[in-house]
Amino acid sequence: MGRREEVSPTCCDIGFCGQKRTKRTFSDHVIALHHLPSVPNRVFTNGKSRSSCIFTQQGRKGINQDAMIVWEDFMPEDVTFCGVFDGHGPHGHLVARKVRDALPLKLLSSMDSCQSRQNGSGQTCFKGSLKAADLEKDVLAEERLISLWREAFMKSYKAMDKELRSHPNLDCFCSGSTAVTIVKQGSNLFMGYIGDSRAVMGSKDNNDSMVAIQLTVDLKPDLPREAERIKRCKGRVFALQDEPEVCRVWLPFDDAPGLAMARAFGDFCLKEYGVISMPEFSHRLLTEKDQFIVLASDGVWDVLSNEEVVEIVSSAPSRSSAARMLVVSAAREWKLKYPTSKMDDCAVVCFFLDGKMDSESDYEEQGFSSATIQSYHSGNAGESDDSCHRSEPSLQRNFTVRPSEECEGFGNGRPHPEEFEGNVDTVAGEDQNWLGLEGVTRVNSLIQLPRFSEERPNP
């Protein structure tokens, strides 16, 4: 990036809003980022960056459908983007990777648009450094800052889903992906998420003891507000008799597909029946007590509690080994807790908020061996475009079939999302037949969904 000139006290921004520039503009930055392979400080395969480590491992259900990313220097002024994406359905691995690559670009573009409009309206916004002292001086500026990021998240998620729906080579009719994404800018943390991937922060309490703080909500169909919206749109919510703890979303006219989340990218067969891609958004002001943030897919959270995850990361022999240790621990718990079940894919991002990372990176230095990783059925560390097009079926626990009784007792002590705002966008059904899905439940019952026409019964 070019060096920036000094600005007047009343002319400020999040990225470049209202500032004089020597060479490059924010829009120039966005356009250049389409050349992803050459972008520095962008990590999306097993490894580490200046402030984070990431690791994914294939489960036993087919190709790894999880994706992850850490993008340091996402914007100037100490901005980092992190995300985890858990695909499901026949093409879930392709959807997750597409979202991983495209969503950050759309977030940059949306922020550029929001900033340009605000700058054109003559409003002053907040200084790019976003220091805590500045926030304390100008509450209104902080509110405008949060409003800008909220709008950028909403627009980028909407644009992402729109692109998936019109993608010529990617069938997302009954495939989709979760997303849990965060942007850290100075001491500000902005979060947008859909589905059941989760973010948890490790922080120290007043006694200097490490505690787990859940930053996001698992947006599943058993949450009262999610279930109410789905039912209002004629979708159905119930669990299987042999899996009563997992509520799923079903079409109004057929016992399919049984989606285990209430919000997702893709899954257009259910978009007019209450499943949405609108993210929950939240903001948090970080303090010196906050140590690290863990983003992970449900393959981790299904077998490890928030407290266990924070303990594993905080006790890792080195920071660079934390993500891998967490995945290996989750694999062990899958074997112990669900010995007859197929382990789910796991993806983890460990983001250390002080921006520091140790120098250890080799398995031997961290007390790990390649045999240890292989013993837990590890997936390949890297990935290529060729691997995205493997033809083997992908069997994911997020889809299943067969009806059961309606879910009872919504509200199980989990934190509830904020009040749902806005109307549900309806997506017209596509003119095609829906191919059958295969689903795997925890008891490894394999069920085939028959082909059926998309014709609706007359009311």
Side-chain angles (χ1 to χ4, degrees):
M1 298 299 299
R3 300 179 64 88
R4 297 187 297 161
E5 299 176 0
E6 295 296 327
V7 299
S8 64
T10 60
C11 193
C12 47
D13 71 337
I14 295 177
F16 299 104
C17 168
Q19 280 189 239
K20 296 181 181 179
R21 308 171 181 86
T22 56
K23 293 183 179 180
R24 301 183 65 183
T25 66
F26 188 92
S27 296
D28 293 333
H29 184 64
V30 173
I31 295 173
L33 293 180
H34 284 78
H35 303 287
L36 290 178
S38 62
V39 173
N41 302 315
R42 176 181 177 272
V43 182
F44 61 94
T45 58
N46 293 349
K48 67 174 184 176
S49 64
R50 295 192 307 259
S51 60
S52 65
C53 60
I54 67 177
F55 194 83
T56 184
Q57 178 173 308
Q58 178 181 325
R60 295 183 177 273
K61 300 179 180 180
I63 190 171
N64 190 345
Q65 294 194 306
D66 287 358
M68 57 195 179
I69 185 173
V70 171
W71 191 339
E72 296 172 343
D73 301 327
F74 182 62
M75 289 168 56
E77 305 292 351
D78 185 25
V79 182
T80 300
F81 175 92
C82 302
V84 165
F85 314 94
D86 183 359
H88 52 260
H91 308 293
H93 56 299
L94 300 178
V95 179
R97 293 175 188 178
K98 177 64 177 178
V99 174
R100 175 200 66 194
D101 293 342
L103 183 61
L105 299 178
K106 294 185 183 301
L107 185 59
L108 281 174
S109 179
S110 297
M111 178 55 70
D112 181 35
S113 175
C114 295
Q115 288 175 276
S116 298
R117 188 180 64 259
Q118 186 182 77
N119 192 35
S121 67
Q123 296 183 16
T124 58
C125 41
F126 206 74
K127 189 175 180 181
S129 62
L130 299 177
K131 295 180 180 178
D134 296 328
L135 289 174
E136 294 172 356
K137 292 177 182 178
D138 194 345
V139 175
L140 292 178
E142 179 185 0
E143 292 177 352
R144 287 194 292 270
L145 169 68
I146 297 171
S147 177
L148 274 175
W149 275 111
R150 181 190 300 273
E151 184 176 357
F153 268 96
M154 295 294 175
K155 285 188 172 182
S156 61
Y157 271 63
K158 182 178 181 179
M160 184 72 253
D161 210 42
K162 182 178 180 180
E163 178 179 335
L164 289 174
R165 185 168 184 268
S166 60
H167 198 288
N169 302 317
L170 183 54
D171 181 4
C172 300
F173 191 61
C174 49
S175 297
S177 178
T178 71
V180 55
T181 55
I182 65 171
V183 171
K184 178 185 176 294
Q185 187 165 28
S187 58
N188 284 267
L189 183 68
F190 304 96
M191 296 163 279
Y193 55 95
I194 55 178
D196 56 3
S197 297
R198 186 187 304 172
V200 169
M201 182 166 66
S203 185
K204 292 188 175 181
D205 61 15
N206 294 332
N207 297 322
D208 208 35
S209 298
M210 191 68 71
V211 295
I213 301 174
Q214 185 166 331
L215 300 175
T216 61
V217 178
D218 299 347
L219 295 172
K220 297 185 178 183
D222 60 348
L223 290 177
R225 188 168 303 280
E226 302 297 305
E228 179 183 351
R229 183 190 67 246
I230 292 167
K231 293 177 179 179
R232 189 170 63 246
C233 295
K234 309 304 180 184
R236 295 182 296 157
V237 177
F238 58 82
L240 300 177
Q241 291 180 346
D242 57 356
E243 200 181 31
E245 75 281 4
V246 182
C247 283
R248 300 178 181 273
V249 184
W250 310 84
L251 291 165
F253 53 86
D254 211 312
D255 296 328
L259 182 63
M261 61 196 69
R263 305 191 194 189
F265 286 122
D267 296 310
F268 295 111
C269 64
L270 290 170
K271 281 295 164 67
E272 60 181 299
Y273 301 112
V275 172
I276 61 174
S277 61
M278 179 183 293
E280 285 292 315
F281 172 86
S282 60
H283 164 261
R284 186 182 185 94
L285 189 61
L286 299 170
T287 71
E288 293 182 354
K289 292 183 177 294
D290 301 328
Q291 304 298 303
F292 56 83
I293 296 173
V294 177
L295 309 181
S297 58
D298 65 344
V300 172
W301 307 114
D302 281 348
V303 293
L304 294 173
S305 67
N306 296 345
E307 292 73 21
E308 289 171 330
V309 166
V310 168
E311 171 62 24
I312 292 169
V313 172
S314 61
S315 62
S318 64
R319 286 189 170 187
S320 57
S321 70
R324 182 169 56 257
M325 277 198 66
L326 186 53
V327 172
V328 171
S329 298
R332 183 181 300 113
E333 288 302 306
W334 271 95
K335 287 187 175 182
L336 293 175
K337 293 182 178 179
Y338 306 107
T340 62
S341 180
K342 292 185 178 181
M343 172 186 161
D344 201 358
D345 304 325
C346 296
V348 170
V349 169
C350 294
F351 178 42
F352 295 93
L353 297 172
D354 60 7
K356 298 177 181 178
M357 182 62 63
D358 50 54
S359 60
E360 298 180 18
S361 59
D362 296 333
Y363 287 136
E364 292 77 10
E365 293 179 6
Q366 298 158 7
F368 286 94
S369 66
S370 58
T372 301
I373 303 301
Q374 290 297 327
S375 68
Y376 291 104
H377 192 65
S378 173
N380 294 331
E383 62 184 47
S384 65
D385 292 338
D386 292 338
S387 67
C388 292
H389 299 282
R390 290 169 56 186
S391 60
E392 63 183 276
S394 179
L395 308 180
Q396 288 296 313
R397 181 174 167 268
N398 287 325
F399 276 103
T400 188
V401 294
R402 287 198 297 119
S404 181
E405 299 176 358
E406 293 286 336
C407 284
E408 299 291 342
F410 291 131
N412 49 10
R414 288 179 296 181
H416 286 186
E418 298 175 356
E419 182 79 8
F420 176 76
E421 298 178 355
N423 296 326
V424 179
D425 294 331
T426 59
V427 180
E430 302 183 7
D431 296 329
Q432 59 177 300
N433 289 335
W434 187 6
L435 298 179
L437 295 178
E438 290 179 315
V440 175
T441 67
R442 273 200 174 159
V443 294
N444 287 339
S445 58
L446 181 61
I447 309 163
Q448 178 113 9
L449 188 69
R451 295 173 63 98
F452 66 92
S453 172
E454 201 179 347
E455 294 179 358
R456 309 290 192 267
N458 295 326

